Amino acid sequence: MEKVLTRNFGLENSHRLETYLKNKGYQAARKALTKMTGPQVIDEIKKSNLRGLGGAGFPTGMKWGFIPQANPKPKYLVVNGDEGEPGTFKDKYIFEKDPHALLEGIIITCYAIASHKAYVYVRGEYVKSMQTLQAAIDEANSSGYLGKGIMGTTFDLDVVVHPGAGAYICGEETALLESLEGKKGFPRLKPPFPAVVGLFGCPTVINNVETLSCVGPIIANGGEWFAKLGSPKNGGNRLFCVSGHVNKPGVYELPNGITLRAIIYEHAGGIPNGRKLKAVIPGGISAPVLTADEIDVKMDFDSLKAIGSMAGSGGIIVMDDTTDMVWAAMVAARFFAHESCGQCSPCREGSGWVYNNLKKLYQGGARPHDLANLPGIIGNIGGNTICAFGDAVTMSVGSYVSKFREEFENKIKERVCRI
Amino acid sequence: MFTTDLLRQLDKIAGQYEQKQAALLPVLHAIQEKEGLISPESEQDVSRYLGIPVVHVHEAVSFYHLFHQTKKGKCHFSVCQTTSCALLGGEDIIEHLKTRLGIKSGETTPDGKFSLSVVECLGACELAPMMQYNKEYRGFLNKKKIDELIDKNK
Ligand SMILES: Cc1cc2nc3c(=O)[nH]c(=O)nc-3n(C[C@H](O)[C@H](O)[C@H](O)COP(=O)(O)O)c2cc1C
Ligand code: SF4
Ligand code: FES
């Protein structure tokens, strides 16, 4: 299989400009800036079927097309490197192993939407990522790949690294904008969408780190080439992150059409200690959990959606048959209760309530109505909130309760409080 | 009051943004790096420096969990309790640290040497169970590795 996103990962000093240039680095940016117009770049991305790899899978070319070019305000590109979705750790590898591939994608994207300023929002804990990226930006600035008159053209671009400060919700695009503007990370009501009213009230594109790292190869090899790598309507490869009960946890670059079974057993080395698979989260903790007999699904956005889960951020979390699913639901609920920004009451109150109920179910002290009430409480969060976090709580925690119902019922029989 | 050195650094940061308030997070990071915490005095200074109400600064300091209002110990353990780490024993690591240090999450030992924070996913689930030890990531934790770190720094 042809490596796209990880093509340079194995090279010595893969993060250095010199290494990148030796391997056709910045040729795609040169092609875009000297031989193509902005709309031509956008067309090529549309043809590639590239979809947002940060979680939602929105078609990237279409998103760029929403930037109103007649609007006289400055336009911004904001790069989402918050990487807070549990189970996901791919953007870190791009930052640390191939930051110039990201920068090249940023240059081409900014050229396409006529933006002269990009902010890269990196989660605050990724200290090494920020240092590596800043060093790459400095190299690019001093060699004419960033800054004024890039590669002898009239195109100027400034890239700034912005540190987050430890809040999952800041990965949500509008919370990220608020945070970048120096406020608490509270998601904004949409519409208006960031394409029209984004950073500092100006038209803004927000894309994930991995999404933008696909842009250089697409411009170099053509949109059709990229579309063919994937499955229908899901162009290219993805970085799948595999963790939990597997022999070889790590990042794997594989085509979108690969099955979950192949990722777990062929690439990540299967389940340790001769154990059996019990459940898998296919796309970060927000994605509904799958049972062991659902793993023949293709890992693209549409196939996972069709079976009621989602491809999300590409974070695969594997659970073997020793896993207590009431406990697993409680751990997920603990995450949501901890990370709700608190702006909407169904999410703030609901996530805390769900967590406390599950904790009682797991530890003992629950009453039968605690289980009976659970689906109702969970169901009342989704669809009633400002951002998609509320839906994530509903779909994620709800999936444990519905798919592993028996375990919840047994728990209530075993550990019920009879007072 | 900011020292001239710090002020120069903050000016450089703030110069990267179209609106000065946008520099809030990186400015707070720079101050915490120098002083080990964000004190009420620093909140006042930042409010004057960025031209925003002090309550906005304080709100940010309390909203983002990487900012501290008290000093952390020389060894700060931030241990992940989210799914991938928990599946591989993260919760036991946390319990072990609590017992060994005699403190709860968010606390520092009385001698000021060790602090413990229990955190959600740090984006390094491939190293599970893992933690951030000061600024570094440490993975594949077990009780022995934790004991070694504590004993070395006692
Ligand atoms: C609660 C929540 C958390 C999110 N966290 C992230 C994140 O950490 N990184 C990311 O790229 N996108 C995250 N997203 C998705 C972003 O809102 C947005 O869709 C994405 O950055 C767009 O980029 P893309 O089109 O390239 O995927 C999150 C969304 C929600 C609702
Ligand atoms: S749904 Fe939850 S996380 Fe999203 S804005 Fe409302 S309270 Fe905040
Ligand atoms: S779950 Fe612990 S680092 Fe992701």
Side-chain angles (χ1 to χ4, degrees):
Chain A
M1 189 207 73
E2 189 173 356
K3 299 274 185 218
V4 182
L5 289 151
T6 56
R7 66 191 182 280
N8 297 326
F9 279 18
L11 303 173
E12 199 180 336
N13 286 323
S14 62
H15 60 292
R16 297 288 312 275
L17 177 62
E18 195 191 345
T19 317
Y20 192 64
L21 289 174
K22 267 194 217 141
N23 292 285
K24 301 194 190 151
Y26 290 110
Q27 288 182 13
R30 191 182 298 276
K31 177 177 172 188
L33 266 53
T34 58
K35 300 210 175 81
M36 297 170 82
T37 63
Q40 279 171 341
V41 173
I42 297 182
D43 273 348
E44 210 56 44
I45 300 298
K46 283 185 180 158
K47 264 190 250 165
S48 77
N49 285 339
L50 173 64
R51 293 174 63 170
L53 301 170
F58 193 82
T60 305
M62 197 193 291
K63 185 188 271 190
W64 297 359
F66 292 149
I67 294 290
Q69 287 302 334
N71 188 326
K73 289 184 175 170
K75 280 118 199 126
Y76 292 105
L77 172 67
V78 172
V79 184
N80 193 340
D82 195 53
E83 190 143 271
E85 180 67 27
T88 318
F89 39 86
K90 64 200 171 72
D91 297 341
K92 178 181 66 189
Y93 282 78
I94 295 177
F95 284 135
E96 292 175 16
K97 293 195 182 284
D98 205 357
H100 285 287
L102 171 62
L103 291 176
E104 182 161 19
I106 292 175
I107 296 168
I108 298 168
T109 307
C110 286
Y111 175 74
I113 60 167
S115 161
H116 300 286
K117 185 100 181 216
Y119 290 96
V120 188
Y121 189 107
V122 186
R123 69 175 297 162
E125 293 91 342
Y126 278 3
V127 177
K128 186 172 169 211
S129 293
M130 284 187 275
Q131 287 165 347
T132 314
L133 178 63
Q134 188 60 55
I137 292 173
D138 294 344
E139 280 182 316
N141 270 320
S142 55
S143 317
Y145 294 100
L146 281 177
K148 284 227 166 304
I150 293 178
M151 292 185 265
T153 67
T154 55
F155 185 67
D156 305 336
L157 176 64
D158 204 11
V159 180
V160 173
V161 180
H162 184 93
Y168 166 74
I169 195 59
C170 291
E172 194 281 336
E173 56 186 13
T174 59
L176 189 142
L177 293 176
E178 288 285 301
S179 178
L180 190 43
E181 289 178 1
K183 302 170 200 156
K184 284 181 293 191
F186 275 180
R188 298 174 182 168
L189 266 176
K190 294 190 274 196
F193 289 92
V196 184
V197 184
L199 187 65
F200 308 131
C202 300
T204 302
V205 163
I206 303 167
N207 274 133
N208 173 257
V209 169
E210 185 187 354
T211 311
L212 291 170
S213 300
C214 295
V215 169
I218 293 173
I219 295 305
N221 303 308
E224 278 161 22
W225 162 82
F226 193 80
K228 274 201 209 112
L229 294 176
S231 62
K233 297 202 186 125
N234 295 256
N237 298 337
R238 274 198 94 162
L239 297 181
F240 291 103
C241 312
V242 192
S243 65
H245 294 144
V246 284
N247 279 314
K248 294 193 286 175
V251 170
Y252 297 91
E253 176 174 1
L254 296 165
N256 261 304
I258 191 162
T259 65
L260 184 50
R261 181 184 298 279
I263 298 180
I264 296 173
Y265 288 100
E266 285 164 34
H267 298 278
I271 319 292
N273 310 320
R275 288 277 166 197
K276 283 218 301 272
L277 178 71
K278 182 167 188 181
V280 199
I281 305 174
I285 207 169
S286 303
V289 66
L290 300 176
T291 60
D293 49 23
E294 290 178 295
I295 60 169
D296 288 307
V297 64
K298 284 199 164 86
M299 287 297 285
D300 62 50
F301 288 102
D302 303 318
S303 307
L304 277 159
K305 190 164 176 215
I307 63 161
S309 189
M310 62 185 207
S313 61
I316 299 167
I317 305 177
V318 180
M319 306 183 203
D320 72 15
D321 57 354
T322 61
T323 312
D324 180 329
M325 297 313 283
V326 179
W327 170 84
M330 179 197 75
V331 172
R334 179 171 71 196
F335 169 79
F336 290 118
H338 195 264
E339 297 298 326
S340 165
C341 85
Q343 217 183 168
C344 340
S345 13
C347 171
R348 181 187 60 239
E349 304 295 325
S351 57
W353 199 351
V354 170
Y355 170 49
N356 284 331
N357 258 17
L358 288 168
K359 199 163 125 185
K360 274 196 281 176
L361 271 174
Y362 176 64
Q363 295 180 340
R367 300 172 190 218
H369 70 250
D370 286 323
L371 178 59
N373 286 345
L374 205 49
I377 305 169
I378 293 171
N380 274 323
I381 305 172
N384 295 317
T385 57
I386 294 175
C387 87
F389 183 101
D391 304 328
V393 182
T394 297
M395 295 189 322
S396 158
V397 185
S399 69
Y400 293 83
V401 184
S402 61
K403 290 195 179 171
F404 298 91
R405 180 95 209 158
E406 233 185 87
E407 281 191 47
F408 285 79
E409 280 165 3
N410 288 342
K411 202 66 94 189
I412 202 105
K413 277 180 214 144
E414 274 167 37
R415 299 191 180 170
V416 68
C417 167
R418 302 193 189 278
I419 331 163
Chain B
M1 281 302 291
F2 299 139
T3 60
T4 350
D5 246 18
L6 182 57
L7 195 59
R8 203 174 304 130
Q9 196 188 341
L10 300 189
D11 285 345
K12 198 174 153 215
I13 294 171
Q16 297 182 302
Y17 298 87
E18 282 73 355
Q19 293 179 3
K20 218 172 172 189
Q21 176 173 358
L24 180 62
L25 265 48
V27 159
L28 289 172
H29 275 297
I31 293 170
Q32 184 162 284
E33 184 71 34
K34 281 242 151 64
E35 301 180 353
L37 81 170
I38 307 290
S39 65
E41 296 74 48
S42 293
E43 289 182 357
Q44 297 277 356
D45 291 343
V46 171
S47 134
R48 264 191 304 274
Y49 178 71
L50 295 178
I52 55 176
V54 68
V55 55
H56 286 186
V57 180
H58 183 69
E59 272 181 351
V61 172
S62 40
F63 181 83
Y64 294 99
H65 93 245
L66 288 184
F67 298 131
H68 323 306
Q69 300 173 60
T70 53
K71 257 203 176 127
K72 293 291 170 192
K74 192 177 94 185
C75 307
H76 183 190
F77 300 92
S78 301
V79 194
C80 173
Q81 65 167 348
T82 320
T83 305
S84 306
C85 287
L87 282 168
L88 293 159
E91 291 176 324
D92 291 342
I93 298 288
I94 294 166
E95 284 315 309
H96 184 65
L97 270 161
K98 284 182 180 165
T99 320
R100 282 267 354 231
L101 301 174
I103 54 176
K104 294 203 287 276
S105 173
E107 293 181 346
T108 299
T109 50
D111 61 8
K113 280 190 183 155
F114 301 98
S115 299
L116 175 64
S117 302
V118 172
V119 300
E120 298 296 345
C121 181
L122 288 164
C125 330
E126 78 279 32
L127 308 177
M130 63 79 62
M131 68 173 167
Q132 195 175 13
Y133 174 69
N134 296 331
K135 289 198 168 159
E136 252 174 69
Y137 276 19
R138 299 278 175 102
F140 308 117
L141 296 177
N142 52 40
K143 289 180 187 166
K144 189 163 157 263
K145 285 190 190 175
I146 297 285
D147 286 341
E148 277 167 12
L149 270 178
I150 296 178
D151 293 338
K152 205 171 75 193
N153 289 289
K154 250 192 175 151

